[in-house]
Amino acid sequence: DFTTKSVNLFKSIDKLYQQKLARRIQQLKEGTIAPLTEYKLVNRSGRTAYIEIYSKPIMYGSRKAIVSIIRDITLRKETEKELLYTVIKTEEKERQRVSQDLHDELGPFLSGLKLYLNEIQENIDDTAKRNVLIDYLSEMIDESVEKVRALHWSVTSPLRI
């Protein structure tokens, strides 16, 4: 439990942060004010908490000392983690939506374009039929361009309702 008075902060610091703490203490011993720094704490049961520490060397009577302000930032770190997770999930849903739109909207059009292009190649001697197919192909290309624009707008617009 991190709330009891008997917690030894130095023993509770996660192993990955201990080197960072050692450098910080060395800076303070040398008289340098250490910047605000975050640390992860781990208790014996594996529960974690996060703190930030601001420290500064002082003279206490005739002796050198270090004064520190320690603030629990566990809730903030957990909130940041949840926010990041939500952003990642939202981005993944949007990627899936765009992929589905490409597949459902543009895929059939491109397949149709290819079929009509093959038809034009097969009917190279029938000028009238070829001209009708070319006109239809042109309309399909225009419609494909509009679908790409609509998809682009739906992806880049800041707010979709």
Side-chain angles (χ1 to χ4, degrees), residues 72-160:
D72 183 353
I73 59 168
T74 304
L75 182 60
R76 182 180 83 199
K77 295 297 275 186
E78 289 171 355
T79 303
E80 287 172 358
K81 192 184 215 180
E82 287 175 24
L83 180 61
L84 180 62
Y85 176 74
T86 302
V87 167
I88 290 170
K89 274 181 64 175
T90 303
E91 287 176 348
E92 183 57 33
K93 281 182 183 178
E94 185 63 11
R95 276 193 288 279
Q96 288 175 351
R97 185 193 66 79
V98 169
S99 174
Q100 191 69 39
D101 285 353
L102 282 171
H103 179 269
D104 293 348
E105 297 288 326
L106 205 53
F109 262 84
L110 295 175
S111 295
L113 289 174
K114 187 174 181 180
L115 288 172
Y116 283 109
L117 199 57
N118 287 338
E119 189 71 24
I120 289 170
Q121 288 174 337
E122 289 176 9
N123 293 297
I124 201 156
D125 295 334
D126 188 349
T127 308
K129 188 173 183 179
R130 206 169 122 243
N131 288 339
V132 168
L133 288 170
I134 288 173
D135 288 343
Y136 191 69
L137 204 54
S138 179
E139 288 175 26
M140 285 184 72
I141 289 171
D142 289 342
E143 199 168 333
S144 295
V145 168
E146 285 307 311
K147 287 194 177 294
V148 169
R149 282 189 184 134
L151 183 60
H152 176 265
W153 183 85
S154 76
V155 171
T156 59
S157 78
L159 180 62
R160 274 196 19 220

Side-chain angles (χ1 to χ4, degrees), residues 4-15:
T4 63
K5 293 179 183 178
S6 64
V7 170
N8 182 333
L9 181 66
F10 298 103
K11 289 182 181 177
S12 298
I13 297 233
D14 185 87
K15 290 181 182 0

Side-chain angles (χ1 to χ4, degrees), residues 24 28 32-34 53-60 64-70:
R24 179 186 186 86
L28 291 163
T32 306
I33 296 175
I53 302 176
Y54 174 78
S55 303
K56 138 182 192 177
I58 62 168
M59 289 301 289
Y60 184 71
K64 288 183 178 181
I66 298 171
V67 67
S68 295
I69 298 172
I70 302 171

